[in-house]
Amino acid sequence: MDDLSGLISMIPVGDIAEKLGVDRSIAEAAVAVAVPAIVGGLAANAKDEGGAKSIEKALGKHKGKAPRSLADVDEADGEKIVANVFGAKKADVAVAAAKKAPAKADGVDIGAIVAQVLPIVAPIVLAFVANQFASKQEQPAAKAEPEAPANPLGDLLGGLIASPQGQDLIAGALGGLLGGGRK
C-alpha cells in the first residue's frame, strides 16, 4: 500500500462527509483530488534542497502516526501544512482540483468542499509519506545499486503522483499552481 490509491483508501471519507454535511460521493470526489494535490505540492516543494529539508523536518513530526479517524486528525496542523505546501494559492488549488473531481453535484461547490478537505487530509498524507520515507531510509542499500539518489524524498513523492490519477490532476488542472508554498 505504497501508492496513491493506497493512501486515499486510508482516508475516513464517511467521517469527512458527515463532518461537512455532504453526501459521501461528494466527500469521495473531494478526497480523490485533494490527496494528489497535496502530494503534488509536496513534490514540487521537494525539488529544491531547502524545500526538501523543510518537508523532511515536518515528516519527522508525523513519523509513526497513522490517523485513521477524524478524532486523530489535528486540523490546525493540517491548516499549517496546507499553508506551507500551497502558500497563498490554496484557494486556487482547491478550485483547480475541483475541476478534476470525479463526481459533480448540483448546487454543491466542490471547490469549497475541496478547500475544507485539504486541512483534514493533510496530516494523514504527511503521516503516510513520513512512514513511507522512514521505511525507505531504513532499507539497506543494494550492493549492485549505484549511490543513493540525490533527492530520495522527491523520488518518493514523484512515485506517488506517477499514477494515472495523480498525473491527470497534476499535469492538467494544477500544473503551474503547485510549489507556491514556503520552502
Side-chain angles (χ1 to χ4, degrees):
M1 189 164 57
D2 60 351
D3 63 0
L4 202 55
S5 61
L7 170 54
I8 291 171
S9 72
M10 295 173 55
I11 308 293
V13 176
D15 293 347
I16 292 171
E18 186 176 320
K19 175 181 176 67
L20 301 180
V22 298
D23 187 71
R24 182 181 176 95
S25 66
I26 300 299
E28 285 173 350
V31 166
V33 295
V35 169
I38 293 169
V39 173
L42 288 168
N45 281 301
K47 286 182 180 177
D48 71 64
E49 188 177 337
K53 287 193 182 305
S54 176
I55 293 168
E56 285 183 36
K57 183 178 175 185
L59 293 179
K61 296 176 185 174
H62 291 85
K63 181 181 170 190
K65 297 181 181 179
R68 295 288 185 165
S69 72
L70 288 187
D72 299 331
V73 173
D74 180 352
E75 286 186 58
D77 184 41
E79 287 288 353
K80 291 176 189 172
I81 295 165
V82 171
N84 283 322
V85 171
F86 301 124
K89 297 178 182 176
K90 175 189 172 186
D92 296 335
V93 168
V95 169
K99 291 178 182 175
K100 290 288 189 174
K104 305 287 183 221
D106 294 331
V108 175
D109 180 355
I110 298 285
I113 301 298
V114 171
Q116 292 176 343
V117 166
L118 286 169
I120 296 171
V121 301
I124 298 170
V125 171
L126 228 53
F128 179 86
V129 172
N131 295 331
Q132 292 293 315
F133 187 64
S135 74
K136 300 259 190 239
Q137 298 292 85
E138 293 167 2
Q139 292 176 353
K143 293 183 192 281
E145 271 186 43
E147 64 184 69
N151 188 350
L153 178 59
D155 291 346
L156 171 66
L157 293 166
L160 286 173
I161 60 172
S163 71
Q165 177 188 19
Q167 285 301 305
D168 184 41
L169 180 69
I170 304 305
L174 300 177
L177 292 174
L178 296 180
R182 293 181 295 196
K183 304 214 189 278

